[in-house]
Amino acid sequence: MQNENMPGKNKRVAVMDLGTNTFHLLIAEGTAGNFTEVLHLHEGVKLGEGGINQGFIQPEAFERGVATMQRFRDHILDHHVTQVRAIGTSALRNAENGKEFIEAVNDKAGISIELISGEQEAAYIFSGIEASGCLTDKNVLVMDIGGGSVEFIIGNENEVLWKQSFEIGAARLMDKFHKVDPIPVISIKAMTSYLNGQLNDLFTAALKYRPRTLIGSSGAFESFEEVIELEKGRRFDLKQIKAYEFDTDDLLDLIERLAKSNHAQRAAIKGIIPVRVDMIVVASLLTIYIMQKIGLADVTMSTYSLKEGVLAQMLG
């Protein structure tokens, strides 16, 4: 399958975001500022399962990933897509057999995967946030919690001031610290100490640029929103919104409950998709850690992220 751009009045494109935890396929058409979603699929591939911190994609995860890409290819062909981009991120960047996986996907699914750096990943994420329309002239801190890495970007509607990717994604943190369920206080303290040592560059940038709001990019933040809204008895559709402002008390209450919960309790909460049931604990703890460490009480969720950032570039 060639990554080619064919002429046409209404360009239809496909973006695949191949994360450590989830593979996304987004097919859309239109323009960068006004596109229509044709198809959006997400598959809980768990590419990092069993080997995320060892830098190796395990055989079962390898096969799940290739099979998912073959299904994505079929959907792309069925929808007569004219341009295709598949973006590989943290798990593929760091895995000893990441190149082998990329070659297998090219051979068996005919899809060429672009392996991007953490800096490129952060740039695409910010482009997605920008496309969602939730930026102003005030500085914000964008946080995208992936399975393998977490991207932090400080900026506003006019410019990116600072960005960096850290290999502290939810799958990595869970593998290191969430080995007992519910997660023990001693493990939370160990995770906090670990983050203190990993995020010095972020804290320095935050002191310099003074962001006023935390913008959470899709992922766990979508689950936070869905749980809160469902518990309030409200009807909503994630596909119909681009941004959501949290009530801080609601968010902190949910984070506290998730941190104290076991697997069965989390699985019973409406609004948390199965692939996030366990990783949402460390994602929650990371969120409250950043809020408290940097002093951010205002939190917004954007449904747009890396794939929408890539899409904006393709349709621009």
Side-chain angles (χ1 to χ4, degrees), residues 203 244 305:
F203 304 142
Y244 173 90
S305 185

Side-chain angles (χ1 to χ4, degrees), residues 92-245:
L92 292 177
R93 277 198 300 269
N94 295 289
E96 179 185 329
N97 56 343
K99 184 178 179 182
E100 182 183 339
F101 179 84
I102 290 171
E103 290 172 349
V105 168
N106 194 24
D107 180 50
K108 297 182 179 180
I111 295 173
S112 176
I113 297 174
E114 302 171 45
L115 196 58
I116 64 172
S117 68
E119 289 285 296
Q120 290 173 301
E121 190 171 352
Y124 280 133
I125 289 164
F126 196 79
S127 293
I129 298 294
E130 189 174 32
S132 74
C134 61
L135 296 178
T136 68
D137 60 348
K138 302 293 189 297
N139 290 352
V140 300
L141 172 64
V142 173
M143 175 166 67
D144 186 288
I145 305 174
S149 63
V150 178
E151 282 65 49
F152 291 99
I153 311 102
I154 298 175
N156 53 56
E157 64 183 358
N158 299 310
E159 61 182 327
V160 174
L161 297 165
W162 174 89
K163 65 180 185 295
Q164 193 168 331
S165 178
F166 298 84
E167 296 297 319
I168 56 164
R172 296 186 193 280
L173 293 177
M174 188 174 76
D175 184 62
K176 282 180 179 289
F177 302 106
H178 191 182
K179 297 180 179 182
V180 177
D181 203 30
I183 187 169
V185 172
I186 191 171
S187 296
I188 296 174
K189 289 180 177 179
M191 178 174 151
T192 299
S193 178
Y194 174 75
L195 293 173
N196 285 341
Q198 294 290 314
L199 297 175
N200 284 321
D201 289 350
L202 168 63
F203 304 142
T204 300
L207 282 172
K208 181 178 181 180
Y209 296 113
R210 301 288 182 182
R212 299 187 182 186
T213 301
L214 175 65
I215 297 181
S217 171
S218 63
F221 289 90
E222 291 180 342
S223 293
F224 296 155
E225 179 217 7
E226 193 160 356
V227 171
I228 289 169
E229 290 295 294
L230 287 172
E231 289 183 347
K232 289 181 179 294
R234 296 174 182 161
R235 295 183 61 187
F236 76 103
D237 183 355
L238 274 173
K239 292 183 182 296
Q240 301 302 315
I241 63 171
K242 296 180 182 178
Y244 173 90
E245 291 184 18

Side-chain angles (χ1 to χ4, degrees), residues 244-297:
Y244 173 90
E245 291 184 18
F246 287 97
D247 178 291
T248 307
D249 290 338
D250 288 343
L251 180 59
L252 294 178
D253 173 70
L254 176 59
I255 287 173
E256 182 179 1
R257 284 189 284 138
L258 290 171
K260 293 178 179 178
S261 66
N262 59 37
H263 176 89
Q265 290 168 331
R266 292 189 300 276
I269 298 174
K270 291 183 179 179
I272 303 178
I273 60 175
V275 74
R276 289 190 194 133
V277 166
D278 291 323
M279 289 188 193
I280 202 165
V281 174
V282 290
S284 299
L285 293 169
L286 177 59
T287 299
I288 194 170
Y289 170 86
I290 293 298
M291 290 173 67
Q292 293 175 341
K293 194 79 173 180
I294 299 179
L296 299 170

